[in-house]
Amino acid sequence: MKRYSLVVLVLSLASAFVFFLGRAMLELGPTAIDLRAPVAAHLAESGVTHPVTAVLLNYRGYDTLLEIAVLLLALLAILAVVGEAPASPTRAAHPVLQALGRLAVPLMVVVAVYLLWAGAFRPGGAFQAGAVLAAAAVLLHLVGLLPGWSKPRLGLRFGLAAGFALFLAVAAGLLTQGSLLQYPPAAAGVLILLIESGLTVSLALILAGLFLLLSREAEA
Amino acid sequence: MLEPLFDPLVWLILLPLAWATLAFVLGPGRGAWPAIAGLATQCWLAIELAQKVGAGGVTNHVVGGWGAPLGIDLAVDGLSAAMLLLTQAVALPLAIYARSYFKLNDPAGTWFWPLMGFLIAGLNALFVSADLFNLYVTLELVGLAAVGLVAAGGGAQQVAAALRYLFATLVGSGAYLLGVALIYGAYGTVSISTLLPLVTNDAPRLVWIAGGLMVSGLMLKTALFPFHFWLPPAHGGAPAPVSALLSALVVKASFYLILRLWLGPLQTVLPAFAWLLAMLGAAAIFWGSWQAIRAVKLKRLIAYSTVAQLGYLFLIFPMLAAHGALEAGVMQIFAHGLAKAGMFAAAGVLIKATGQDTVAGLAGSVERLPVTMFAFGLAGMTLMGLPPSSGFLAKWLIIEVALAQGHWIIAMVVLAGGLLAAVYVLRVLRQAFLLTPASATLTPVPRMLEWSAFALAAASVLLGLRGVELMRLLGAMA
Amino acid sequence: MSTGFIFALTGAILFAAGVAGVVLIGHLLRRILAFNLMGSGAFLVLVGLAQRQDVVDPVPQAMVLTGIVVAVAATALALALVRKLHALTGQLELPDDVDA
Amino acid sequence: MTSHELLPLALLASSLLPGLIIFGLPEAWVGVRTFLNLFAAIAKLGLVAMLLAGVAAGEAYGVRYAVLPGLELALKVDALGMMFITLSAVLWLFTTVYAIGYLENAPHRSRFFGFFSLCVTATMGIALAANLFTFFIFYELLTLSTFPLVVHRGTDKAMKGGTVYLAYTLIGGTALLAGIVWLHHLLGHTEFAHAGIAAALGPEYAGQLKIIFLLLIAGVGVKAAIVPLHGWLPQAMVAPAPVSALLHAVAVVKAGAFGIVRIVYEVYGAEFAQSLNLLYPLALFAAVTILWGSFRALFQNDLKKRLAYSTVSQVSYIVLGVALFGPIGTIGGLVHIVHQGIMKITLFFCAGNYAETLGIHKVSEMDGAGRRMPLTTLAFSIGALGMMGAPLTAGAVSKAWLIDGATAAHMEWAIWVLWTSSLLNAAYFLPILWRAWLRPVPATWPEEHIARRGWRETTLLLLLPPLFTAAATLAAGTFADSEATPLAWAKLIAEREYVGKGAP
């Protein structure tokens, strides 16, 4: 009975919340600040032509820097939680699946590179590219071509951290321009591409790692 | 021209990120020395920054050179500078402590250093950010690092505690994020300085909902009663250096953010919630103290004491408009931060030495671990608010502001809270002075552990003699 | 009512449902899903409310991208913890918290 | 920094620094520790002598340090403070000597002497405090640093005594703090000043000031063991004898009594306190305490407990003297600060000697103790006679001035209280003396630890301190009217307090 009344209470609170929130949202007039104009106005200096990428890597690039830190941190926390365990033995999938996997992965790599390059002027970018690469790794693991991780060795750790480290180094280096992440307009495009390339590799590794670390046999 | 290159404000964020990354690449269990060197430098940077703020008022750093509202601004006023100072001052001795603590191939210490680095970076970034969305990212950075630290290498209880903590912190930052979304919807910006003139008394109702959501989320993260359920298992179950970091700093970060919103962009909205928060704060003092008095485990006792001590912070809200209330709150943040770090560190020594985490197991420890018990006593003195500790100054300030405002009920809560703290601190000290059972054996502990705990506890007392500097720093407010 | 509003309203509903789920559901995997629901709700409000005039605003979109990555990270950590807990106790619910 | 600022600090440092060093000394370094203890005690006496000369000549010493804007840690040296300082410093030396003998071969001596020095530092700080804020800091430090000494033995009984002690003093401290912050809020400062500071507030504050007075007096009244706040004192007697002697007979209870003097004279001002009708109730409480303490002492078989209740009673003589509005009563109360101190410490030293030498803890075991330990029992007798107010002892002087003060204040009932108390004192001390001197020596002592060697009935370090203080009790009584006695100094203080009121 207690449980039932808790459910009723929570659900009615939630409904009331939605009701009042919805009404309050409908009352809104136009906003005092409109950022679309400044976003567009500075697009030429931002080094990219796609406004979302400009916000993501230039205007609010600092958010993205910390976001990558969060992602690396999550991997780290998972490593700390799961501890060391032997990687699960890879079970070879059906040969057809394996063949398909071998076929798909090169395609996915190409798609990833395209996404990375396209990010400058249309939806895309490092995260998407990294996700596709990570998906390729997961695919390989699932068809039994790539073992799960027991623990990252030095080289792998370096790869995982390199993208973030590169981003951090560029951000710090740009202090010479007057402030953190202040790209000189002329070099902005190149620098952003550099950062995105680094991030693609590391993000792919991190995202793959999130899966490959967790896919180990659970220690009984 | 080189001045921005050496802006201490930015380096307080970049440096811990750098040594955290380095520690990760170096591998399991490594990275203590880069961390200690980094933290020592950060201490110096924080002092530099505090001097700069004390002399010249608020300092800014315009990230990317765009300026708010398009870009993200970092700003440091007296409050931020004080928080930065506390963070580095607590983290450095704890790092020295942790190096000795995790030396013996403790599985909890495998990835301690990079996790700690990200935690400190997140805290520092949070204290300097002047952008509501950026603050959300820093909150998550802090929250996930803290959860990772709690869970590291632990057994079922510890993992369960970490999960509880994770859900609490995620729901908290989720509520905060929805609040930010509503603010952006209402005003089209998330920059604190831009919002400041825009949020007026006749703000749309949506902004009130946003304020409520943000504060509720942050209350959950600060473990304000009755949202404290996650704190005792998490702080009580983690390894001692982690408990110390969490109790001393992490819960303060979300409290800082409430203060920041209260004094900044939402100053017309939030005071409506003032008495609610103060009442919950008072309830936290009584409930937390009561649970600490009853606790079986030593670290559980200290964790409940944190619940109680956080209650004091919320007592200041009804008086925040008056001069002195903010000072009282910050003094309490410092007092509790230093003392609780010292107390958890001392508890860690006692647990390592006696091999058990119970109050009853402490019998006779005065005789055998005098430095540690002395540290525990000094930290306890601060928590009880006995002079000449900084806890006493905090208590004095709160009572005086309360009397000046005519809120004598707050003064009485503070006085009663001090007595309750005395009960649970003395439970421990009493036990420690008891004669030892002759059979009890003691694992030897490194000296460095004892002395770094002592340094923190002593600092919490000595700060009571240097209140003037801190007050002057807080004078430099935005 | 513009599309943006509908998104925002849906977001509000998702958020509320997510919170209710986190509070009420004991099963940890479902609770993680509920948390994701909550996060998605907040993202929808962020983008939808800002675009209530149905004009694209790139800033909240970029923020949501950042938010999604953070949510992915948090979800992964939560899953890791649940797996660990399951490995240690065989349970997919949180054990009671005891002081002894 | 000038010498006028440095001297008060040196006075604190002369026990603080040795205390901190002693904490760090290995247990086995007896020689170093003993040297440090004695050196510090003697150095402190030297400093006290310098300050006494200066204060008598009218020099002003003091130092201030702000801990918060508008909140200062302030020390000053005045005649009243010097009285307490001199008493504590002299008795510290004696007690140190005694404690070295008492604790020979006992465990944890570094811890003991370390906290002991901290206690003395806190006592000095209480005497030096120039405002209530500073007073409170040292007052609480005294509480904290005595706790480890009370529980020093680590037995369950010691724990119980220590817990009760802390419960009383911390609650008292909370009341005191509440009063101090309140006063600070009203006045903006809490400086001690002649004729008080509270009168500066208008008559509309009378109600608040009365409540504050109650809080302040309740706060310091706990340490002064005013009934009904006295419950901790008999319990705290589980501590080792030197602790009971110096701390509970002198430092702690005197800190409370001293606080009452400061609050009445220098915070409220005697006249203003009288105008608020505060002194009469205070006198009543003191009277009740005097009688109740003496009455309870009658029924104690435990020697130290009997002495403890006697302390409860005697300390309120001081309070009574203060509450008797007028210079004569003031002198009686002030001089009793010193007189009670030297008499009571004598008694506690002797009680410690009985326990350490023969294992005597109870009054019923005292039979024939005078034959076995004549010198100790002689000292004990002098102290006991002094407590009763017998002629030629220090106690007689105090009592005479108090009675004159009561007469001058037209509070005849107070005279009856004093006489009744004297009778009760006799009733609980004389049986002890009778047992010790006149009853036959029993076949065996409860537990004989120290054998007799020649004329030395116990070790020299235990014997000399009570003999000295007993001699001082006689001297202070016999030569009361000459210069450089406690009485002369009390007159000096009263003169300065009642400026222009024609003090005798």
Side-chain angles (χ1 to χ4, degrees):
Chain A
M1 285 311 100
K2 207 177 151 202
R3 165 94 197 148
Y4 175 75
S5 45
L6 179 71
V7 172
V8 171
L9 178 74
V10 170
L11 289 184
S12 40
L13 279 178
S15 318
F17 172 75
V18 172
F19 175 74
F20 284 112
L21 183 57
R23 270 187 41 176
M25 287 199 291
L26 281 169
E27 283 170 8
L28 278 189
T31 58
I33 308 276
D34 191 344
L35 288 178
R36 278 168 301 172
V39 167
H42 296 288
L43 211 51
E45 310 155 51
S46 74
V48 288
T49 53
H50 190 58
V52 175
T53 309
V55 175
L56 213 49
L57 278 148
N58 196 332
Y59 305 143
R60 297 185 68 92
Y62 176 58
D63 272 347
T64 309
L65 176 68
L66 293 185
E67 162 209 314
I68 306 297
V70 171
L71 205 57
L72 183 58
L73 166 67
L75 182 87
L76 192 59
I78 290 170
L79 275 174
V81 171
V82 297
E84 276 181 37
S88 55
T90 43
R91 278 185 304 257
H94 193 277
V96 176
L97 286 179
Q98 282 207 346
L100 277 174
R102 283 179 213 274
L103 211 60
V105 167
L107 269 174
M108 290 171 91
V109 173
V110 172
V111 170
V113 173
Y114 168 75
L115 281 173
L116 170 65
W117 169 73
F121 50 88
R122 61 170 58 182
F127 193 81
Q128 289 83 337
V132 171
L133 282 183
V138 171
L139 191 66
L140 285 179
H141 177 68
L142 289 178
V143 298
L145 292 172
L146 187 71
W149 292 358
S150 66
K151 63 168 186 181
R153 292 181 190 288
L154 179 65
L156 188 50
R157 289 200 301 269
F158 186 78
L160 286 165
F164 176 65
L166 177 71
F167 199 168
L168 193 65
V170 172
L174 289 175
L175 279 172
T176 51
Q177 299 295 312
S179 73
L180 196 65
L181 277 172
Q182 183 163 6
Y183 300 102
V190 180
L191 284 173
I192 288 178
L193 190 63
L194 179 69
I195 291 172
E196 291 222 78
S197 316
L199 285 182
T200 305
V201 177
S202 287
L203 284 174
L205 286 171
I206 293 173
L207 292 173
L210 295 180
F211 188 89
L212 295 176
L213 274 170
L214 290 179
S215 78
R216 308 180 314 190
E217 282 310 316
E219 314 96 295
Chain B
M1 195 56 237
L2 281 176
E3 203 199 335
L5 189 55
F6 297 109
D7 191 348
L9 193 163
V10 208
W11 284 103
L12 278 170
I13 304 163
L14 296 180
L15 209 54
L17 286 175
W19 61 257
T21 313
L22 178 62
F24 172 67
V25 175
L26 285 178
R30 306 252 181 91
W33 282 115
I36 290 171
L39 281 167
T41 318
Q42 284 163 236
C43 268
W44 171 69
L45 289 172
I47 294 169
E48 282 286 292
L49 190 60
Q51 278 170 350
K52 201 163 129 189
V53 171
V58 182
T59 70
N60 289 297
H61 189 95
V62 183
V63 179
W66 300 107
L70 180 60
I72 297 170
D73 280 3
L74 307 180
V76 174
D77 60 4
L79 177 60
S80 309
M83 295 305 295
L84 289 169
L85 213 50
L86 176 71
T87 304
Q88 324 309 317
V90 169
L92 179 61
L94 281 180
I96 295 168
Y97 177 88
R99 198 185 79 85
S100 303
Y101 190 92
F102 289 127
K103 228 170 191 174
L104 305 164
N105 234 346
D106 191 330
T110 318
W111 296 105
F112 175 81
W113 297 105
L115 284 171
M116 178 179 178
F118 281 119
L119 181 74
I120 300 294
L123 288 168
N124 287 353
L126 193 153
F127 294 136
V128 303
S129 181
D131 181 286
L132 293 180
F133 184 79
N134 183 250
L135 279 165
Y136 162 75
V137 183
T138 61
L139 268 180
E140 293 286 33
L141 193 57
V142 171
L144 294 189
V147 171
L149 284 166
V150 170
Q157 279 295 329
Q158 214 175 315
V159 172
L163 259 174
R164 243 189 213 103
Y165 181 22
L166 180 63
F167 280 119
T169 188
L170 287 181
V171 171
S173 36
Y176 175 84
L177 178 63
L178 183 60
V180 174
L182 298 181
I183 297 270
Y184 189 87
Y187 297 107
T189 178
V190 285
S191 146
I192 287 180
S193 57
T194 316
L195 281 169
L196 207 52
L198 294 177
V199 188
T200 49
N201 277 322
D202 51 356
R205 261 193 289 177
L206 194 68
V207 178
W208 290 74
I209 298 180
L213 277 167
M214 291 161 98
V215 170
S216 317
L218 294 170
M219 267 157 61
L220 181 58
K221 286 174 94 86
T222 317
L224 175 62
F225 179 90
F227 299 129
H228 66 283
F229 58 91
W230 59 266
L231 188 144
H235 290 199
V242 175
S243 311
L245 278 172
L246 261 55
S247 259
L249 301 176
V250 173
V251 282
K252 307 293 164 44
S254 39
F255 176 78
Y256 159 87
L257 194 43
I258 299 181
L259 262 186
R260 181 56 73 205
L261 297 174
W262 201 288
L263 298 169
L266 298 181
Q267 55 186 327
T268 54
V269 175
L270 293 183
F273 304 102
W275 277 103
L276 176 69
L277 292 191
M279 272 159 52
L280 293 178
I285 293 175
F286 292 118
W287 180 252
S289 302
W290 172 240
Q291 290 297 323
I293 290 168
R294 290 167 25 126
V296 177
K297 285 186 181 167
L298 177 62
K299 274 171 65 197
R300 182 64 72 127
L301 180 153
I302 305 176
Y304 269 114
S305 149
T306 299
V307 173
Q309 295 282 329
L310 290 170
Y312 287 104
L313 297 176
F314 288 88
L315 293 180
I316 67 169
F317 284 114
M319 318 181 285
L320 209 50
H323 178 72
L326 176 70
E327 284 81 354
V330 174
M331 187 55 93
Q332 169 68 10
I333 291 179
F334 268 69
H336 178 249
L338 290 166
K340 198 44 74 69
M343 193 176 259
F344 264 123
V349 179
L350 294 169
I351 291 164
K352 277 227 160 187
T354 60
Q356 51 177 327
D357 177 12
T358 56
V359 178
L362 293 176
S365 35
V366 161
E367 200 173 316
R368 298 180 300 174
L369 295 162
V371 174
T372 304
M373 276 323 297
F374 206 54
F376 196 100
L378 287 176
M381 207 170 135
T382 307
L383 296 186
M384 290 186 252
L386 288 182
S389 70
S390 50
F392 169 65
L393 288 190
K395 218 156 102 173
W396 176 284
L397 284 166
I398 298 180
I399 297 173
E400 189 153 36
V401 179
L403 288 179
Q405 300 284 301
H407 302 320
W408 51 270
I409 185 95
I410 291 181
M412 284 174 60
V413 168
V414 172
L415 289 171
L419 285 177
L420 289 171
V423 178
Y424 61 71
V425 170
L426 290 170
R427 254 192 81 197
V428 177
L429 290 183
R430 212 184 108 100
Q431 196 65 24
F433 269 102
L434 269 183
L435 289 177
T436 3
S439 60
T441 52
L442 217 58
T443 320
V445 280
R447 280 275 174 88
M448 198 49 104
L449 280 184
E450 294 204 72
W451 284 106
S452 38
F454 185 84
L456 281 163
S460 79
V461 172
L462 290 179
L463 177 68
L465 299 175
R466 302 297 293 267
V468 174
E469 275 102 333
L470 186 57
M471 297 298 113
R472 193 181 307 138
L473 182 58
L474 287 177
M477 287 296 294
Chain C
M1 205 183 271
S2 63
T3 333
F5 255 128
I6 295 171
F7 274 122
L9 213 55
T10 316
I13 295 169
L14 288 181
F15 182 89
V19 175
V22 174
V23 174
L24 292 175
I25 298 172
H27 189 282
L28 287 168
L29 277 178
R30 292 184 198 165
R31 212 187 244 196
I32 292 173
L33 286 178
F35 153 70
N36 273 283
L37 209 58
M38 189 184 145
S40 308
F43 298 147
L44 273 181
V45 172
L46 183 53
V47 175
L49 198 59
Q51 297 179 179
R52 59 183 177 277
Q53 315 293 347
D54 285 337
V55 199
V56 179
D57 185 347
V59 174
Q61 295 197 10
M63 287 178 185
V64 166
L65 282 175
T66 304
I68 288 173
V69 176
V70 172
V72 166
T75 308
L77 179 56
L79 286 170
L81 284 168
V82 170
R83 261 190 84 102
K84 177 86 176 181
L85 188 71
H86 184 253
L88 289 170
T89 65
Q91 297 279 317
L92 277 175
E93 306 222 347
L94 281 177
D96 281 338
D97 168 43
V98 285
D99 169 29
Chain D
M1 234 182 193
T2 65
S3 68
H4 282 66
E5 291 176 334
L6 222 51
L7 268 179
L9 290 178
L11 196 61
L12 288 179
S14 62
S15 46
L16 177 65
L17 294 181
L20 294 179
I21 297 170
I22 288 169
F23 275 126
L25 288 183
E27 200 57 37
W29 291 19
V30 182
V32 178
R33 193 170 50 232
T34 307
F35 170 77
L36 209 57
N37 269 321
L38 291 176
F39 175 78
I42 290 167
K44 188 180 285 283
L45 275 183
L47 289 167
V48 168
M50 283 167 74
L51 284 169
L52 269 177
V55 170
E59 297 273 343
Y61 301 92
V63 61
R64 316 184 73 86
Y65 172 82
V67 288
L68 280 180
L71 201 58
E72 282 182 318
L73 209 59
L75 304 177
K76 71 169 181 184
V77 183
D78 65 354
L80 177 60
M82 272 324 289
M83 183 171 206
F84 191 26
I85 288 170
T86 313
L87 174 74
S88 311
V90 171
L91 295 187
W92 186 36
L93 177 62
F94 286 130
T95 315
T96 304
V97 172
Y98 185 83
I100 290 166
Y102 186 89
L103 291 174
E104 215 165 15
N105 305 322
H108 315 315
R109 275 170 294 168
S110 282
R111 193 172 93 205
F112 181 89
F113 282 108
F115 280 114
F116 205 73
S117 304
L118 289 190
C119 283
V120 173
T121 310
T123 312
M124 295 290 150
I126 287 173
L128 288 170
N131 54 29
L132 267 177
F133 172 72
T134 314
F135 177 86
F136 179 74
I137 288 179
F138 286 107
Y139 189 83
E140 294 288 72
L141 275 180
L142 182 61
T143 305
L144 286 182
S145 50
T146 27
F147 173 74
L149 297 174
V150 176
V151 300
H152 186 74
R153 294 193 205 270
T155 58
D156 280 330
K157 210 175 147 210
M159 285 307 149
K160 188 159 172 280
T163 310
V164 170
Y165 172 58
L166 270 183
Y168 271 84
T169 45
L170 287 179
I171 292 173
T174 304
L176 183 59
L177 175 64
I180 293 175
V181 190
W182 197 342
L183 198 65
H184 189 266
H185 158 61
L186 294 181
L187 280 165
H189 71 99
T190 55
E191 298 298 319
F192 295 136
H194 284 300
I197 49 172
L201 292 169
E204 67 272 24
Y205 288 100
Q208 291 194 46
L209 284 175
K210 281 182 188 172
I211 303 175
I212 294 173
F213 188 79
L214 183 68
L215 287 169
L216 295 177
I217 295 294
V220 289
V222 168
K223 282 216 170 88
I226 295 179
V227 171
L229 309 172
H230 66 291
W232 61 271
L233 183 57
Q235 298 263 3
M237 287 303 133
V238 295
V243 176
S244 307
L246 181 63
L247 295 170
H248 293 127
V250 183
V252 175
V253 290
K254 286 301 157 53
F258 183 79
I260 293 178
V261 176
R262 282 277 200 221
I263 289 165
V264 170
Y265 288 144
E266 304 202 350
V267 177
Y268 278 73
E271 262 179 77
F272 184 65
Q274 177 77 350
S275 74
L276 290 176
N277 294 323
L278 294 170
L279 292 185
Y280 197 78
L282 184 60
L284 275 181
F285 268 101
V288 170
T289 308
I290 290 172
L291 295 177
W292 179 249
S294 296
F295 179 71
R296 285 299 302 270
L298 276 177
F299 303 102
Q300 306 302 321
N301 188 22
D302 187 303
L303 185 58
K304 278 174 80 182
K305 274 209 172 157
R306 187 173 287 198
L307 293 179
Y309 277 106
S310 163
T311 304
V312 171
S313 166
Q314 293 277 336
V315 170
S316 274
Y317 280 36
I318 302 166
V319 182
L320 183 66
V322 170
L324 294 173
F325 177 64
I328 303 174
T330 304
I331 293 172
L334 291 178
V335 78
H336 202 56
I337 291 184
V338 178
H339 287 169
Q340 191 268 349
I342 50 179
M343 296 188 293
K344 190 43 70 63
I345 207 167
T346 309
L347 293 171
F348 270 110
F349 282 156
C350 294
N353 283 1
Y354 291 131
E356 277 304 282
T357 315
L358 304 176
I360 294 175
H361 295 280
K362 298 200 159 67
V363 175
S364 54
E365 297 163 346
M366 288 285 290
D367 290 1
R371 312 264 178 89
R372 166 67 172 78
M373 301 178 69
L375 292 173
T376 302
T377 312
L378 180 68
F380 189 89
S381 308
I382 293 171
L385 289 171
M387 285 293 171
M388 294 176 242
L392 293 185
T393 62
V397 178
S398 312
K399 206 159 272 185
W401 281 87
L402 283 171
I403 288 171
D404 287 354
T407 318
H410 306 295
M411 290 160 80
E412 277 74 17
W413 56 268
I415 301 174
W416 288 106
V417 168
L418 291 167
W419 278 116
T420 315
S421 171
S422 284
L423 280 178
L424 289 168
N425 288 348
Y428 62 77
F429 273 128
L430 287 180
I432 304 178
L433 300 188
W434 173 68
R435 277 175 185 274
W437 289 118
L438 300 174
R439 299 269 295 195
V441 180
T444 55
W445 299 106
E447 210 177 331
E448 188 163 354
H449 300 286
I450 303 169
R452 190 186 185 96
R453 279 189 301 164
W455 61 275
R456 281 171 293 178
E457 57 203 45
T458 182
T459 56
L460 213 51
L461 290 177
L462 294 182
L463 192 53
L464 290 181
L467 289 178
F468 273 110
T469 51
T473 305
L474 285 179
T478 316
F479 307 110
D481 289 325
S482 51
E483 281 181 36
T485 59
L487 183 62
W489 197 263
K491 284 180 182 169
L492 176 76
I493 300 168
E495 250 168 60
R496 289 185 182 175
E497 175 62 28
Y498 287 87
V499 189
K501 292 270 182 336

